[in-house]
CSV table of all heavy atoms in Angstrom, one decimal:
chain,number,residue,atom,x,y,z
A,61,ILE,N,-16.4,-1.7,8.7
A,61,ILE,CA,-17.0,-1.4,7.4
A,61,ILE,C,-18.2,-2.3,7.1
A,61,ILE,O,-19.1,-1.9,6.3
A,61,ILE,CB,-15.9,-1.4,6.3
A,61,ILE,CG1,-15.1,-0.1,6.4
A,61,ILE,CG2,-16.5,-1.6,4.9
A,61,ILE,CD1,-14.0,0.0,5.4
A,62,GLY,N,-18.2,-3.5,7.8
A,62,GLY,CA,-19.3,-4.4,7.5
A,62,GLY,C,-18.9,-5.6,6.7
A,62,GLY,O,-19.8,-6.3,6.3
A,63,PHE,N,-17.6,-5.9,6.6
A,63,PHE,CA,-17.2,-7.0,5.9
A,63,PHE,C,-17.2,-8.3,6.8
A,63,PHE,O,-17.1,-8.1,8.0
A,63,PHE,CB,-15.7,-6.9,5.4
A,63,PHE,CG,-15.5,-5.9,4.4
A,63,PHE,CD1,-14.2,-5.4,4.1
A,63,PHE,CD2,-16.5,-5.3,3.7
A,63,PHE,CE1,-13.9,-4.5,3.1
A,63,PHE,CE2,-16.3,-4.3,2.7
A,63,PHE,CZ,-15.0,-3.9,2.4
A,64,LYS,N,-17.3,-9.4,6.2
A,64,LYS,CA,-17.1,-10.7,6.9
A,64,LYS,C,-15.7,-11.0,6.8
A,64,LYS,O,-14.9,-10.4,6.1
A,64,LYS,CB,-18.0,-11.8,6.3
A,64,LYS,CG,-19.4,-11.8,6.7
A,64,LYS,CD,-20.1,-13.1,6.4
A,64,LYS,CE,-20.3,-13.4,5.0
A,64,LYS,NZ,-21.2,-14.4,4.6
A,65,GLY,N,-15.3,-12.2,7.4
A,65,GLY,CA,-13.9,-12.7,7.2
A,65,GLY,C,-13.3,-12.9,8.5
A,65,GLY,O,-13.9,-12.7,9.6
A,66,GLY,N,-12.0,-13.2,8.5
A,66,GLY,CA,-11.3,-13.5,9.7
A,66,GLY,C,-9.9,-13.7,9.5
A,66,GLY,O,-9.4,-13.6,8.3
A,67,ILE,N,-9.2,-14.0,10.5
A,67,ILE,CA,-7.7,-14.2,10.5
A,67,ILE,C,-7.5,-15.7,10.7
A,67,ILE,O,-7.9,-16.3,11.6
A,67,ILE,CB,-7.0,-13.4,11.5
A,67,ILE,CG1,-7.4,-11.9,11.4
A,67,ILE,CG2,-5.5,-13.6,11.4
A,67,ILE,CD1,-6.8,-11.0,12.6
A,68,THR,N,-6.8,-16.3,9.7
A,68,THR,CA,-6.3,-17.6,9.9
A,68,THR,C,-4.8,-17.5,10.4
A,68,THR,O,-4.0,-17.0,9.7
A,68,THR,CB,-6.3,-18.4,8.5
A,68,THR,OG1,-7.6,-18.3,8.0
A,68,THR,CG2,-5.9,-19.8,8.7
A,69,ARG,N,-4.6,-18.0,11.6
A,69,ARG,CA,-3.3,-17.9,12.2
A,69,ARG,C,-2.6,-19.3,12.1
A,69,ARG,O,-3.1,-20.2,12.7
A,69,ARG,CB,-3.4,-17.4,13.7
A,69,ARG,CG,-3.8,-16.0,13.9
A,69,ARG,CD,-3.7,-15.5,15.3
A,69,ARG,NE,-4.0,-14.1,15.4
A,69,ARG,CZ,-5.2,-13.7,15.5
A,69,ARG,NH1,-6.2,-14.5,15.6
A,69,ARG,NH2,-5.4,-12.3,15.6
A,70,LEU,N,-1.5,-19.3,11.4
A,70,LEU,CA,-0.8,-20.6,11.2
A,70,LEU,C,0.5,-20.5,12.0
A,70,LEU,O,1.2,-19.5,12.0
A,70,LEU,CB,-0.6,-20.9,9.7
A,70,LEU,CG,-1.9,-21.0,8.9
A,70,LEU,CD1,-1.5,-21.1,7.4
A,70,LEU,CD2,-2.7,-22.2,9.3
A,71,PRO,N,0.9,-21.7,12.5
A,71,PRO,CA,2.2,-21.6,13.3
A,71,PRO,C,3.4,-21.4,12.3
A,71,PRO,O,3.3,-21.7,11.1
A,71,PRO,CB,2.3,-23.0,13.9
A,71,PRO,CG,1.3,-23.9,13.2
A,71,PRO,CD,0.3,-23.0,12.6
A,72,VAL,N,4.5,-20.9,12.9
A,72,VAL,CA,5.7,-20.6,12.1
A,72,VAL,C,6.2,-21.9,11.4
A,72,VAL,O,6.9,-21.8,10.4
A,72,VAL,CB,6.7,-19.9,13.0
A,72,VAL,CG1,7.3,-20.9,14.0
A,72,VAL,CG2,7.8,-19.2,12.2
A,73,THR,N,5.9,-23.0,11.9
A,73,THR,CA,6.4,-24.3,11.4
A,73,THR,C,5.5,-24.8,10.2
A,73,THR,O,5.8,-25.8,9.6
A,73,THR,CB,6.4,-25.4,12.5
A,73,THR,OG1,5.1,-25.4,13.1
A,73,THR,CG2,7.4,-25.2,13.5
A,74,THR,N,4.5,-24.0,9.9
A,74,THR,CA,3.6,-24.5,8.8
A,74,THR,C,4.4,-24.7,7.5
A,74,THR,O,5.3,-23.9,7.1
A,74,THR,CB,2.6,-23.3,8.5
A,74,THR,OG1,1.8,-23.1,9.7
A,74,THR,CG2,1.6,-23.7,7.3
A,75,SER,N,4.1,-25.8,6.8
A,75,SER,CA,4.9,-26.1,5.6
A,75,SER,C,4.3,-25.3,4.5
A,75,SER,O,3.2,-24.8,4.5
A,75,SER,CB,4.7,-27.6,5.3
A,75,SER,OG,3.4,-27.9,4.8
A,76,GLN,N,5.1,-25.1,3.5
A,76,GLN,CA,4.7,-24.4,2.3
A,76,GLN,C,3.5,-25.0,1.6
A,76,GLN,O,2.5,-24.4,1.2
A,76,GLN,CB,5.9,-24.3,1.3
A,76,GLN,CG,5.5,-23.6,0.0
A,76,GLN,CD,6.7,-23.3,-0.8
A,76,GLN,OE1,7.6,-22.5,-0.4
A,76,GLN,NE2,6.9,-24.0,-1.9
A,77,ALA,N,3.5,-26.4,1.6
A,77,ALA,CA,2.4,-27.1,1.0
A,77,ALA,C,1.1,-26.8,1.7
A,77,ALA,O,0.0,-26.6,1.1
A,77,ALA,CB,2.7,-28.6,1.0
A,78,ASP,N,1.2,-26.8,3.1
A,78,ASP,CA,-0.1,-26.6,3.9
A,78,ASP,C,-0.6,-25.1,3.6
A,78,ASP,O,-1.8,-24.9,3.6
A,78,ASP,CB,0.2,-26.8,5.3
A,78,ASP,CG,0.3,-28.3,5.7
A,78,ASP,OD1,-0.1,-29.1,4.8
A,78,ASP,OD2,0.7,-28.7,6.8
A,79,LEU,N,0.4,-24.2,3.5
A,79,LEU,CA,-0.1,-22.8,3.3
A,79,LEU,C,-0.7,-22.7,1.9
A,79,LEU,O,-1.8,-22.1,1.8
A,79,LEU,CB,1.1,-21.8,3.4
A,79,LEU,CG,0.9,-20.4,3.1
A,79,LEU,CD1,-0.2,-19.8,4.0
A,79,LEU,CD2,2.1,-19.5,3.2
A,80,LEU,N,-0.1,-23.3,0.9
A,80,LEU,CA,-0.7,-23.2,-0.4
A,80,LEU,C,-2.1,-23.9,-0.4
A,80,LEU,O,-3.0,-23.4,-1.1
A,80,LEU,CB,0.2,-23.9,-1.5
A,80,LEU,CG,1.6,-23.3,-1.6
A,80,LEU,CD1,2.4,-24.0,-2.8
A,80,LEU,CD2,1.5,-21.8,-1.9
A,81,ALA,N,-2.2,-25.0,0.3
A,81,ALA,CA,-3.5,-25.7,0.4
A,81,ALA,C,-4.6,-24.8,1.0
A,81,ALA,O,-5.7,-24.7,0.5
A,81,ALA,CB,-3.4,-27.0,1.2
Side-chain angles (χ1 to χ4, degrees):
I61 281 179
F63 294 167
K64 281 198 293 197
I67 305 173
T68 304
R69 292 190 175 83
L70 300 175
V72 71
T73 50
T74 302
S75 70
Q76 179 169 290
D78 284 351
L79 175 57
L80 297 185

